[in-house]
Amino acid sequence: MIRSDRRSFVKSLAAGAAAAPVLSLLGPLRQAFAADLERAGLATHTRGSFAQLRSAYMLDPKVTYLNHASIGTIPTAVFDARSRYQELCEKNPWLYMWGGAWEGPREEVRAKAASLLHCKASEVSFTHNTTEAFNVLAHGLPLGRGDEVVFSSLNHDGASVCWSHMAPERGFTVKRFQFPVSDVPQLTKADILNLYDEQITSKTRVLVLPHIDNMVGLRHPVRELTELARSKGVEFVAVDAAQTVGMMSVDVHGMGVDMFAASPHKWLQAPKGLGLMYLSESVRERVHPMWVTWGQRRDGWRGTGRIYEDYGTRNLAEVLTLADAIEFQSRTPPVEREARLRELWEYTHRRAMEHPRTEWRSPHSWELGGSLYAVEIRDKNITEVSEWMFREHGIVFRPFRSQELNTARISPNVFNTEEEIERFLRLATG
Ligand SMILES: Cc1ncc(COP(=O)(O)O)c(C=O)c1O
């Protein structure tokens, strides 16, 4: 089939002509996933059943996994759902990749992702990760001489390097200011707002910030910071939500931001290599796609988040599985999830505060934190501790060792236990 034929075939499917029999292929797969959840007793997850939830994953029993912030582990049921899509695809790869069979299901996934983020489906693009989304923005925004992009040293490289890379070519400047990491435990919301207020100037056109940063887990007051930025004339507010989507409820429209990027392979426990990007309608009009091919001019796609997607061959099985990952996570009511993550946070905070050999380096208030926190072990090199703990005890956490930090970043999920945290603390301080 030549390209124009292929496109008109896809179009006819999208218009519904041949969609019904093709779409119905997905029904049994979705039912198989629902049956897997029922069989494994995963109808709903509540606090009483979180410890048993670990058996719903393929984690090595010898591993104590306290590093969900680096990369998530996908539930067996979600893994199986992905394998089923892949198997179906392999029966007739053309049909699923180019023949349009998964056109409708892909849009169902987009709608599901949009309701998770609290935005419209047309505002969501499927990227591969957060880093890609920031590259799309840095390449596509109309910035030039005299413009300034501002972010702090808490910003992850994935949301930072793209700006420095583009700056010399376009002539804009990048201001990366030093965040007072040592003060983080005591900071209040007002302090955080002041810190940003001091850095935003009349030249600032873009403000980039993490929703929760990956080092000390400071939860930024995004709505208030966005209001502050707007009041000072900032045009674009871009938020790195790699650590929050799946960890906590998010409301993109409520925050009023222009861009919001996530990596569902972390807290949503979706297959690796699938990202989400929200771009507000007004910003979409001004951001040129980073790569272009036949789809950017298609009716129905033009002007939507789809124009930022790469139309080359990609692994659609992963995209479809995002719906199952969201479904799996939705079996835990958000209040139950937050209550459990907070319980683990309170336990670790209390134990780290009372132990003479540890120091808590994250916010003292849960409202300004999340399920990733930094604990310093006095007089020890944390990189060596982490290597030893993994080698000898199978405990996985992320060490941070720099001029400012020598900390263990602990990032538990709901199925982690107080006993696991206690074991980590005992071994680390022993
Ligand atoms: C806050 C934050 N932003 C961005 C990233 C980059 O994520 P990805 O590799 O999925 O692009 C990470 C990864 O750890 C992160 O923690």
Side-chain angles (χ1 to χ4, degrees):
M1 190 180 274
I2 59 169
R3 182 169 292 182
S4 58
D5 289 345
R6 185 174 85 196
R7 265 182 274 146
S8 52
F9 180 59
V10 171
K11 235 173 168 173
S12 73
L13 284 170
V22 177
L23 275 182
S24 66
L25 286 174
L26 215 52
L29 302 197
R30 296 264 199 246
Q31 280 160 18
F33 174 68
D36 275 357
L37 295 188
E38 296 303 325
R39 221 183 350 267
L42 297 171
T44 51
H45 319 140
T46 54
R47 260 191 286 173
S49 64
F50 282 150
Q52 291 94 291
L53 198 54
R54 195 191 200 276
S55 62
Y57 294 82
M58 291 167 283
L59 277 174
D60 183 339
K62 292 193 285 301
V63 162
T64 298
Y65 200 68
L66 295 171
N67 197 5
H68 294 268
S70 280
I71 189 80
T73 174
I74 78 175
T76 311
V78 175
F79 179 86
D80 290 344
R82 184 198 171 284
S83 304
R84 282 187 209 105
Y85 297 131
Q86 193 69 53
E87 196 181 335
L88 181 60
C89 180
E90 298 314 326
K91 290 182 198 270
N92 184 351
W94 164 83
L95 178 64
Y96 299 99
M97 189 63 225
W98 299 117
W102 279 350
E103 185 55 30
R106 178 179 14 195
E107 293 319 296
E108 285 171 25
V109 181
R110 198 184 305 275
K112 199 157 179 135
S115 58
L116 181 81
L117 300 180
H118 285 97
C119 66
K120 293 193 257 177
S122 60
E123 295 169 323
V124 173
S125 312
F126 293 125
T127 58
H128 292 87
N129 47 49
T130 299
T131 308
E132 180 182 313
F134 274 94
N135 270 274
V136 167
L137 192 69
H139 278 77
L141 273 180
L143 299 178
R145 209 156 292 287
D147 295 334
E148 182 182 73
V149 178
V150 169
F151 51 81
S152 88
S153 56
L154 284 184
N155 224 39
H156 191 277
D157 274 356
S160 308
V161 175
C162 52
W163 303 103
S164 314
H165 177 76
M166 295 303 296
E169 192 181 304
R170 299 274 187 82
F172 63 84
T173 55
V174 172
K175 180 157 79 180
R176 178 181 180 272
F177 70 92
Q178 206 55 35
F179 201 91
V181 172
S182 315
D183 298 342
V184 161
Q186 285 81 30
L187 288 181
T188 63
K189 217 183 233 194
D191 295 330
I192 301 168
L193 286 164
N194 280 339
L195 283 166
Y196 278 88
D197 194 12
E198 280 166 15
Q199 300 297 332
I200 298 170
T201 68
S202 56
K203 285 199 221 153
T204 311
R205 283 189 74 200
V206 185
L207 176 67
V208 183
L209 45 112
H211 193 179
I212 288 190
D213 76 277
N214 71 316
M215 286 182 270
V216 287
L218 176 71
R219 194 189 315 187
H220 287 57
V222 175
R223 192 175 47 77
E224 292 89 335
L225 283 167
T226 303
E227 279 165 11
L228 168 76
R230 302 255 187 257
S231 73
K232 299 188 81 171
V234 174
E235 268 178 277
F236 307 105
V237 177
V239 174
D240 171 353
Q243 294 297 351
T244 44
V245 172
M247 184 204 282
M248 55 182 56
S249 302
V250 298
D251 179 356
V252 168
H253 279 173
M255 288 177 181
V257 300
D258 300 295
M259 184 266 204
F260 193 82
S263 290
H265 39 235
K266 293 181 186 286
W267 296 92
L268 268 179
Q269 302 179 327
K272 283 134 192 87
L274 181 74
L276 287 174
M277 176 175 75
Y278 158 87
L279 269 187
S280 69
E281 216 156 281
S282 59
V283 171
R284 269 202 324 273
E285 282 164 16
R286 309 184 59 194
V287 176
H288 292 295
M290 185 163 147
W291 34 63
V292 286
T293 171
W294 54 270
Q296 272 79 16
R297 293 177 181 281
R298 251 189 75 175
D299 289 344
W301 294 11
R302 204 174 39 234
T304 75
R306 287 199 76 163
I307 64 166
Y308 303 107
E309 291 173 10
D310 174 2
Y311 303 121
T313 308
R314 77 177 291 178
N315 192 340
L316 290 181
E318 276 167 10
V319 177
L320 295 193
T321 312
L322 179 63
D324 303 290
I326 295 174
E327 179 62 31
F328 185 94
Q329 297 302 328
S330 74
R331 303 292 171 111
T332 301
V335 281
E336 294 275 337
R337 180 191 310 284
E338 170 151 6
R340 177 60 186 150
L341 295 179
R342 186 177 180 151
E343 236 168 40
L344 288 167
W345 176 89
E346 276 165 357
Y347 182 84
T348 318
H349 180 249
R350 180 172 59 75
R351 297 289 290 127
M353 291 296 288
E354 67 194 14
H355 200 290
R357 297 205 61 194
T358 56
E359 194 169 335
W360 181 263
R361 300 292 301 273
S362 288
H364 283 308
S365 100
W366 167 257
E367 284 70 24
L368 287 180
S371 196
L372 70 105
Y373 21 94
V375 178
E376 185 170 326
I377 316 294
R378 290 209 180 94
D379 309 321
K380 289 207 181 178
N381 174 329
I382 200 63
T383 309
E384 289 169 11
V385 173
S386 90
E387 285 165 6
W388 169 77
M389 273 218 209
F390 177 57
R391 200 178 52 241
E392 301 295 326
H393 301 283
I395 298 180
V396 183
F397 66 88
R398 167 85 150 87
F400 276 91
R401 193 164 158 81
S402 64
Q403 277 185 335
E404 300 160 303
L405 293 173
N406 177 34
T407 46
R409 186 196 66 189
I410 310 296
S411 50
N413 214 318
V414 290
F415 61 74
N416 285 114
T417 61
E418 282 79 356
E419 290 72 27
E420 289 176 319
I421 305 247
E422 195 55 40
R423 187 159 162 260
F424 156 78
L425 287 170
R426 184 168 44 76
L427 290 166
T429 55

